[in-house]
Amino acid sequence: MPSLTIPVEDTQFLLKEVFGLEQINTLPGYEEATEDLVDAILTEGAKFATEVIQPTNVTGDVEGCTLGEDGVVTTPKGFKDAWDAYVEAGWMSLSADPAYGGQGMPTTLNVIMNEYLGTANLAFSMYPGLTQGAYSAMLVHANDEIKQTYLPKMVEGKWTGTMNLTEPHCGTDLGLLRTKAVPQGDGSYKITGTKIFISAGDHDLAENIVHLVLARIEGAPEGTKGISLFVVPKFLPNEAGDPGEANHVTVGKIEEKMGIHGNSTCVMNFDSSTGWLVGEEHKGLKAMFVMMNEARLGVAIQGLTQSEAAYQHARDYAMDRLQGRSLTGAKNSDGPADPLIVHPDVRRMLLTMRSFNEAARAFCIYASIQSDIAHKHPDEKARQQAEDRLGLFTPVLKGHLTDIGFDNAVMAQQVFGGHGFIEETGASQFVRDARIAMIYEGANGIQALDLVGRKLMANGGRGIMALFQELGAYIETHAANEAMAPFVMPLKSGAEDLQKATMWFGENAMKNPEHAGAGSVDYMHLFGTVMLGYMWAKMAEVAVKNEDDSRKDFYDTKLALARFYMDRIMPTTAMRRDRIMVGADSLMALPAEAF
């Protein structure tokens, strides 16, 4: 079984030294998130992830989930015990509203815990992750009766949640969905339809499963304007608030998947199932997007988790595996060969992975702090700025982190050579598990189009202009610091490339929308590369000025990784810029029939 070390010290470094914990615990309601308490949460969370969750990872992959003749899904060995321990320890309630039994901790701590869980076992982490998303959508849009009925049970972990969007004939194009809702005259609806690819659709972990289902009320307008959102439980709550009679919600089958075998991805059939409206009629997408946006940050973290787990696995192998001799002479003269770590190309792969992982972690935490500010800051302008940033960052986080996370899992497999292709080493699981993150919650091509087509110009481009001002101010502040030059100058070049590409879209995409479509993925990755470079500059800034000799090795490592990223990764922004500014002509020139 691959070993795992949860990067608690790196997380503490980011929270305390890079971003400042005071950004969070000075917000109203978060005063209890003191440094001591945060340290305790991180330490215990890491211990829980490594000791309780990680041992189920390989088992989950090998066994998968099974659908019994009784129509109930059984999770792999160890999952139920791990879930019970997760619930008993209170992790499900960490950042939930105290009004519904939550602990009221910052969202940022929940995001960090999701990283720890996902690094230990991605498939397992999806059960609480989807429940948190469903909780968030109902918290914002459901009426008080629905909230009181469902949220305390979900916060407690006795009930879990899902979201049901995709149908056999439609994925991203939700305007085509056919699931129907028939009003019953008592405030309830009968929901009928089939949904596919439903993660955690059924399982034996919790006593009830709360499905959020998109459906079209009879007579509703066609397209997305006629979609409503409903809460449809597996079992109808009785008068005592416990699971009562079955609600005609059944599993058609468990999908046979490339990876995340430990999560039960189901075809769900709703046969005149009773449901209740969440939010307003025909405004279902607005309500569901609360869950989807949270899920997209969660999926971005999944890209990081698989990159981190795969990196650690490959690093350990490279330190032990003897193969060949160093180009500059034997480094292991007493042995028959040198370890893989001496070879430049192996180091290139490992450093590429690690420099991404640490910056991606910083970007996720930076974004989650924006979420806390957007929800809790007393100043309306500060909330607006944080909301703008979060809207702009979400497609970049989801698209860039999952694309590169998958690339890194493949790279880690390459470190193993032929042994990476053999199941017993465990390298392939990270590749198989990471692959889905590029697809679900909106395929990455859709994320790129959302970024270029909607997010850039939202509110007159207010968000992107504020970001350019922030980057410019940071670069100007540190321009005269010679020690920061190796980090600030590449960041400056990358930021200029991002600005040029943004201006090019502004000047050309309106004339020909194909230009936006042709350059959107490159733009998303250009944006992501610059943001990770910004994170490295901020980390390097702390390391440069630190005089704590007891942690010299820690800070020296940060500076070495920052230099590698700036030397090796940041120059790709120029390539991305050039590809964007070529436009769509050569891409769209070939007639469809010629393919």
Side-chain angles (χ1 to χ4, degrees), residues 350-554:
L350 292 174
L351 286 168
T352 298
M353 289 182 267
R354 184 168 174 183
S355 66
F356 166 83
N357 294 344
E358 296 202 15
R361 179 174 301 111
F363 192 14
C364 288
I365 291 176
Y366 179 69
S368 64
I369 290 172
Q370 303 309 309
S371 179
D372 281 324
I373 292 171
H375 285 98
K376 292 286 189 176
H377 203 285
D379 181 68
E380 183 180 354
K381 185 177 180 182
R383 293 197 303 272
Q384 174 199 288
Q385 289 176 337
E387 196 71 57
D388 286 349
R389 283 195 187 98
L390 202 56
L392 195 60
F393 292 163
T394 297
V396 180
L397 282 159
K398 197 281 181 183
H400 187 66
L401 268 59
T402 59
D403 273 0
I404 306 302
F406 174 74
D407 289 347
N408 287 350
V410 173
M411 201 178 297
Q413 189 180 34
Q414 188 75 10
V415 172
F416 281 81
H419 291 280
F421 201 65
I422 305 301
E423 288 294 334
E424 67 187 41
T425 65
S428 79
Q429 183 184 352
F430 303 120
V431 175
R432 291 184 284 103
D433 285 357
R435 186 63 183 87
I436 186 57
M438 304 161 70
I439 300 172
Y440 58 18
E441 302 308 335
N444 287 354
I446 300 297
Q447 301 299 323
L449 285 173
D450 178 48
L451 173 65
V452 171
R454 294 177 60 232
K455 298 298 175 62
L456 279 185
M457 292 300 107
N459 302 304
R462 187 176 66 200
I464 190 65
M465 295 309 297
L467 178 64
F468 286 147
Q469 289 172 3
E470 179 181 339
L471 289 170
Y474 184 87
I475 291 164
E476 184 177 353
T477 298
H478 298 283
N481 185 344
E482 187 175 341
M484 284 293 291
F487 317 109
V488 171
M489 297 313 294
L491 176 62
K492 184 173 184 284
S493 295
E496 288 173 350
D497 288 334
L498 183 61
Q499 284 183 288
K500 288 175 183 176
T502 305
M503 291 175 62
W504 191 88
F505 276 139
E507 295 168 359
N508 294 276
M510 291 296 289
K511 299 174 187 175
N512 181 1
E514 301 285 17
H515 289 321
S520 59
V521 169
D522 275 307
Y523 185 85
M524 177 181 71
H525 287 302
L526 168 53
F527 200 136
T529 302
V530 170
M531 287 306 300
L532 265 57
Y534 183 33
M535 296 299 102
W536 268 123
K538 293 175 81 69
M539 288 187 276
E541 176 192 353
V542 175
V544 162
K545 66 184 180 184
N546 200 280
E547 298 178 354
D548 185 353
D549 290 340
S550 67
R551 302 184 70 204
K552 185 177 186 302
D553 289 347
F554 178 85

Side-chain angles (χ1 to χ4, degrees), residues 214-337:
L214 288 180
R216 194 182 304 280
I217 298 172
E218 283 189 326
E222 294 297 317
T224 57
K225 293 181 180 180
I227 296 174
S228 300
L229 179 64
F230 300 87
V231 55
V232 186
K234 178 181 179 180
F235 297 103
L236 294 168
N238 59 26
E239 291 183 1
D242 298 319
E245 63 179 289
N247 192 23
H248 306 293
V249 178
T250 58
V251 179
K253 69 171 183 175
I254 297 176
E255 305 283 11
E256 295 184 15
K257 311 188 298 291
M258 175 179 174
I260 55 169
H261 296 148
N263 194 270
S264 52
T265 308
C266 301
V267 173
M268 300 302 302
N269 295 320
F270 299 89
D271 185 12
S272 292
S273 308
T274 301
W276 291 268
L277 186 67
V278 176
E280 302 176 53
E281 286 188 0
H282 317 319
K283 299 290 180 65
L285 282 185
K286 179 181 178 182
M288 184 62 92
F289 264 111
V290 173
M291 185 172 185
M292 289 177 69
N293 284 332
E294 184 165 312
R296 283 169 179 170
L297 176 56
V299 175
I301 293 165
Q302 291 180 4
L304 163 60
T305 65
Q306 297 315 284
S307 181
E308 176 66 35
Y311 161 75
Q312 290 192 29
H313 194 34
R315 175 204 60 201
D316 293 348
Y317 185 78
M319 299 293 281
D320 293 337
R321 171 73 168 175
L322 301 181
Q323 197 83 168
R325 288 294 189 188
S326 167
L327 297 175
T328 55
K331 300 296 186 289
N332 178 33
S333 56
D334 294 334

